[in-house]
Amino acid sequence: MKYRPLGRTGLNVSEISFGTWAIGGSWGNVNDTDSLHALQQAMEQGVNFFDTADVYGNGHSEELLAKATAGREDKIHIATKFCRSTDIHDPESYSEKSIRALCQSSLKRLNREAIDLYQIHCPPFEILKQGAVFEVLDKLQAEGKIRHYGVSVETVEEGLFCLEQPNVQALQVILNLFRQKPFAELLPAAHAKGVGILARLPLASGLLTGKFKEQTQFEVDDHRRFNENGEQFNVGETFAGLGFAKGLELSRQLAWIAEGARA
């Protein structure tokens, strides 16, 4: 496993990290035994950075991480996210009272004294521009509840705005072969500011694994079925916003990359 610094946080994290949306829910049938086994296998392979959120299975993925990493808190870094378990459009969701309660709940589920990286979870741009949420995070950081904070964003514009906030130390952004726009401006700007980048959905909801066929059916509780066209949340989160049929077609045109890697 290779490691690299996450911006200026001081965290040295594995290049391949582990996102836990799937083990929390909204990806079809999953069981805790398999999830815990996967977490253990990842750590044995050198993964030391895990990303989760309070909304993944209503906190279930955080609880699983606590079980899997017990006794290794000083070696395994955890990033979690907040706000999408509430009404993301309600300014009250970003009040000091609300964020403190959300943070404390995550700390309890994770069984940790501090969160390594606490991230605002794809909030509306208007909320970010109001700025109050950053002031609350500054307080939590000063108190030692969180070590660092960042933002998971949907657009390059949002990311560039967040880079202007002095204490934002990481950005999480959709980045894969279908979604390369951040390479042009956002990534160079983040590098110049010393802000870490977390690439999320690198396999475009599984499209880039090469395992899907036209006949593939997703379960009713899988976002790849109930959010294909953005019915529940940002469409870019599901199949990179392409839709299954178009995404499958394009992924096959990219199969030569994998074939070349195996040669």
Side-chain angles (χ1 to χ4, degrees):
M1 182 63 67
K2 296 180 180 179
Y3 302 85
R4 62 176 63 185
L6 181 61
R8 60 182 188 273
T9 63
L11 300 177
N12 202 38
V13 302
S14 49
E15 287 186 342
I16 298 175
S17 298
F18 194 121
T20 64
W21 183 9
I23 69 174
S26 299
W27 287 78
N29 184 43
V30 64
N31 67 75
D32 290 353
T33 299
D34 289 343
S35 297
L36 289 169
H37 178 69
L39 293 170
Q40 180 63 36
Q41 285 291 308
M43 288 185 285
E44 290 179 2
Q45 296 299 317
V47 173
N48 73 342
F49 186 77
F50 294 80
D51 176 77
T52 187
D54 57 7
V55 75
Y56 295 167
N58 294 319
H60 189 56
S61 68
E62 291 180 324
E63 293 169 342
L64 288 173
L65 273 173
K67 291 181 181 179
T69 63
R72 301 187 238 192
E73 289 83 359
D74 60 332
K75 298 179 180 178
I76 303 298
H77 308 303
I78 292 180
T80 193
K81 302 185 285 292
F82 72 95
C83 85
R84 298 196 77 85
S85 60
T86 61
D87 180 354
I88 64 169
H89 298 285
D90 184 358
E92 182 59 29
S93 298
Y94 306 89
S95 68
E96 183 171 344
K97 178 181 179 181
S98 177
I99 295 175
R100 282 187 178 279
L102 292 171
C103 180
Q104 196 58 45
S105 294
S106 284
L107 284 168
K108 182 177 180 180
R109 287 189 293 267
L110 290 167
N111 195 26
R112 295 202 168 203
E113 295 182 1
I115 295 168
D116 294 312
L117 179 66
Y118 202 38
Q119 304 161 102
I120 317 170
H121 195 177
C122 300
F125 198 4
E126 287 303 313
I127 293 293
L128 292 173
K129 287 189 285 190
Q130 289 169 13
V133 63
F134 300 111
E135 296 176 7
V136 177
L137 292 173
D138 285 336
K139 290 182 180 180
L140 293 178
Q141 186 175 30
E143 294 168 11
K145 298 287 187 182
I146 62 177
R147 295 192 172 96
H148 313 282
Y149 68 79
V151 189
S152 183
V153 298
E154 297 285 9
T155 70
V156 167
E157 183 183 13
E158 291 169 355
L160 291 171
F161 174 84
C162 290
L163 290 179
E164 298 304 316
Q165 312 312 306
N167 295 321
V168 168
Q169 297 198 24
L171 288 179
Q172 191 169 157
V173 61
I174 300 174
L175 194 62
N176 55 55
L177 286 173
F178 297 135
R179 298 280 291 242
Q180 298 188 43
K181 187 176 180 180
F183 281 110
E185 186 177 4
L186 183 59
L187 268 60
H191 179 72
K193 294 276 189 177
V195 171
I197 292 288
L198 304 177
R200 59 192 177 95
L201 295 165
L203 297 177
S205 306
L207 277 176
L208 294 170
T209 64
K211 66 181 181 181
F212 297 151
K213 300 178 180 179
E214 285 84 358
Q215 297 78 22
T216 299
Q217 296 290 319
F218 300 100
E219 298 176 52
V220 293
D221 59 345
D222 191 320
H223 75 100
R224 293 171 293 187
R225 179 167 174 177
F226 67 74
N227 193 62
E228 182 178 358
N229 300 303
E231 293 90 341
Q232 298 294 323
F233 44 82
N234 190 288
V235 69
E237 304 285 342
T238 304
F239 301 133
L242 296 169
F244 180 66
K246 186 63 175 180
L248 183 61
E249 175 189 346
L250 293 175
S251 69
R252 288 176 173 164
Q253 294 178 27
L254 297 168
W256 63 270
I257 297 175
E259 293 168 0
R262 288 193 293 266

